[in-house]
Amino acid sequence: MSMVWRVGDPAPAQWQLIGSSMNSGDAEFDALAEWMATEATGPERGEIHGAFASGDTSDVIRHDAVKRAVETVENTPDWVDRGVLAEGARALRRGGCDGMYFARDVALMGGYQFSDLNKTLVRTGALEKGANQRFAETMRWALDVTGDGGLEPWAAGFTSTVHVRLIHSLVRRHVRAMDDWDESRWGVPVNQTDMGATLAGALIAPGAGALTMGVVCTPRELDSIAHLTRYVGWLMGVRDEFLPRDFRDAIRLLCHLVSAQSEPDETSALLAAPMASDPLRWSFGAFEPVRRRLARAQHLSVAAAFLGPRTMRALGLPALVLPWYPAMRLPINLARSAYALSGAERYRRCADRGGDAQWKFYDRITGGDGATIGASAGASTKAH
């Protein structure tokens, strides 16, 4: 990706910033997590969790620590443009399932090659909960964020993002206190560098991946996706240095932050290999056994096309898989893009269809039961 977008290596000052940010968390919400763990009662902790999950914080702001956190996310920066946020959300919906497939098969599954990120995941029960659960939660968050009006204050996407921010701080505190966590080697759990890379992987990589599969976006659409990513990152507590100004800057950040991540280790295959077989448990209805096997082959095809044989081997996945699915989708998406970009009403219909397809994919991987954001983090979010 760095070659395609002509992204150079980070300058020495940028490398220094990326390295030092591995020792930084999120001061505002870390203070809330500390208060929840040391001063709040059990019922109060449950009440606060529920408030941040629902978006109704009116009762819990009686606690000063909660009030300060709420004021932090409600103090919207002057640079936020609600109209551009809506454009970015529509652009991501128009990518349909192919953008989501890239998020799953390349950004998430490929992200397991970065062993330092895995060290936190393993300590929060990722092996027990499984990658399908983690992706379902991530997808629900993304659907909330890109939904119509989702980023209005305390709407679904706003709430999900702030809730994830609280979960990150609780996980950070929990894992950091573990006897086997070596902060001198791995930095702070869920640190700023990790969060910046994860944010770009979740919202920028799908847009870029959909482009390679024929979902043509205008420069304005791409920059609107970057603007949405910038605001979502701000809500999530990512430092300004790791928030994109435009789409090219977003690609630069993605490439630079990913280049700072560690090499694969034994946890990479432990997390990624089972994920490749998750489609064999998805809900398809009619002809389910055949469609499950086809889905497994399809998602391996996407992964192989973009990750390459070396990374596939490191993840415990088949190295030689034909990229038949991206090749098949290219002409289809080109035709659909030409249709979408030929008029405002056609664009709206394509964005609506893409959004509906994404929700159907979500129902397929969850069996229609949905996913609770934060469930895969397990006990680490309980703030004991």
Side-chain angles (χ1 to χ4, degrees), residues 8-16 256:
D9 292 334
Q14 292 171 322
W15 270 123
Q16 186 175 7
H256 286 182

Side-chain angles (χ1 to χ4, degrees), residues 67 113 131 138 153 162 169 172 180 183 197 262 268 280 297 300 376:
K67 184 178 181 180
Q113 67 185 292
T138 302
V162 175
S169 284
R172 188 178 297 116
D180 64 345
E183 196 161 310
S262 51
S268 299
L280 299 177
L300 280 173
S376 61

Side-chain angles (χ1 to χ4, degrees), residues 120-339:
T120 300
L121 288 174
V122 168
R123 285 165 175 77
T124 57
L127 288 173
E128 292 78 11
K129 295 291 183 180
N132 199 62
Q133 171 70 29
R134 183 182 174 224
F135 177 67
E137 293 176 36
T138 302
M139 187 172 180
R140 179 53 195 259
W141 164 77
L143 290 170
D144 288 345
V145 163
T146 59
D148 191 20
L151 288 173
E152 293 295 321
W154 298 109
F158 184 106
T159 298
S160 291
T161 302
V162 175
H163 187 206
V164 168
R165 183 173 182 175
L166 174 61
I167 290 168
H168 281 172
S169 284
L170 293 170
V171 167
R172 188 178 297 116
R173 186 185 186 280
H174 177 79
V175 174
R176 199 174 186 180
M178 290 182 171
D179 292 338
D180 64 345
W181 184 261
D182 189 346
E183 196 161 310
S184 64
R185 292 177 58 195
W186 306 323
V188 172
V190 200
N191 57 62
Q192 283 289 327
T193 300
D194 293 346
M195 288 195 292
T198 302
L199 173 72
L203 293 176
I204 297 301
L211 278 173
T212 64
M213 286 192 273
V215 180
V216 179
C217 291
T218 66
R220 175 169 175 160
E221 284 182 293
L222 294 176
D223 286 344
S224 69
I225 292 172
H227 188 75
L228 180 144
T229 303
R230 185 183 181 191
Y231 179 52
V232 170
W234 178 86
L235 281 177
M236 200 172 283
V238 178
R239 279 174 24 179
D240 189 66
E241 295 90 338
F242 298 144
L243 300 179
R245 269 44 180 183
D246 54 36
F247 197 76
R248 181 172 291 278
D249 188 44
I251 294 293
R252 177 190 65 80
L253 285 168
L254 175 62
C255 294
H256 286 182
L257 291 169
V258 165
S259 69
Q261 301 297 327
S262 51
E263 292 293 312
D265 66 4
E266 68 281 357
T267 64
S268 299
L270 286 174
L271 289 164
M275 189 175 182
S277 297
D278 282 337
L280 299 177
R281 295 187 291 275
W282 290 350
S283 300
F284 287 94
F287 307 107
E288 195 164 65
V290 174
R291 293 173 72 183
R292 283 174 168 175
R293 290 195 294 272
L294 179 61
R296 183 180 186 274
Q298 168 192 325
H299 287 278
L300 280 173
S301 173
V302 175
F306 296 100
L307 296 178
R310 180 176 176 273
T311 299
M312 293 288 281
R313 287 191 200 94
L315 296 174
L317 305 174
L320 300 176
V321 180
L322 292 175
W324 60 268
Y325 180 81
M328 179 188 74
R329 293 297 296 177
L330 184 64
I332 296 171
N333 285 330
L334 286 172
R336 288 181 173 176
S337 295
Y339 175 84

Side-chain angles (χ1 to χ4, degrees), residues 19-59:
S20 63
S21 296
M22 292 180 177
N23 295 310
S24 298
D26 173 8
E28 291 83 359
F29 270 65
D30 287 353
L32 173 57
E34 182 67 21
W35 177 84
M36 289 174 66
T38 58
E39 297 185 43
T41 65
E44 286 173 338
R45 290 195 292 270
E47 184 185 24
I48 293 165
H49 269 294
F52 277 95
S54 69
D56 183 6
T57 60
S58 56
D59 289 336

